[in-house]
Amino acid sequence: IDYLAGTVAKKVLDNAKYILDKNVNQVKKWQKIFKQSDIDGIEYIDTNANFILLRSLNYEFHKNLLLSNKFLIKYDFKQDCLKNCIRFSIVDDINMEKILNLLQKGDN
């Protein structure tokens, strides 16, 4: 490992608890926000993961809305239990707010 990679790795390892806590808090925060949000045609599905899982009553519209706004989502799941579901990773606040606002305004 070169010097720079070793320095970065040491910094990450020295701050692992802080980084983990920060990421866990971000996930919990946005799960709570989406769970409490009232978005027409969207059902929030609880997970124990670092993503948001939504079931849409207007699936093609919501899928295309997010894709056309250049958000990377997982969709068209093959499993029956995930039919009409959209999944996206929890990221920084700026992008999470954009996704939430887009979905809230998208039905109007």
Side-chain angles (χ1 to χ4, degrees):
I1 299 179
D2 66 26
Y3 177 77
L4 179 59
T7 302
V8 171
K10 182 177 181 343
K11 193 74 153 171
V12 169
L13 290 172
D14 289 347
N15 294 289
K17 177 151 177 34
Y18 169 77
I19 294 167
L20 180 63
D21 289 346
K22 185 176 178 186
N23 287 336
V24 168
N25 289 335
Q26 180 75 349
V27 168
K28 287 180 179 180
K29 176 176 82 173
W30 281 102
Q31 286 175 334
K32 182 178 179 182
I33 290 169
F34 270 86
K35 186 174 188 170
Q36 294 175 345
S37 295
D38 187 24
I39 304 172
D40 287 340
I42 295 279
E43 173 193 358
Y44 173 83
I45 300 172
D46 276 318
T47 68
N48 292 314
N50 65 337
F51 56 79
I52 299 293
L53 183 62
L54 305 172
R55 178 167 285 115
S56 173
L57 296 177
N58 195 351
Y59 176 71
E60 289 298 324
F61 172 78
H62 288 121
K63 176 179 85 171
N64 291 325
L65 179 67
L66 291 167
L67 290 173
S68 67
N69 282 277
K70 304 201 183 331
F71 286 105
L72 295 175
I73 62 172
K74 294 196 180 210
Y75 57 94
D76 293 344
F77 294 97
K78 303 297 181 221
Q79 302 86 345
D80 286 339
C81 63
L82 295 174
K83 184 175 173 147
N84 296 328
C85 285
I86 296 168
R87 183 184 123 178
F88 49 89
S89 296
I90 295 173
V91 293
D92 61 275
D93 287 343
I94 292 170
N95 283 297
M96 293 305 296
E97 287 172 10
K98 286 179 183 178
I99 292 170
L100 181 61
N101 290 334
L102 190 62
L103 290 171
Q104 287 174 328
K105 293 177 183 173
D107 286 355
N108 296 334

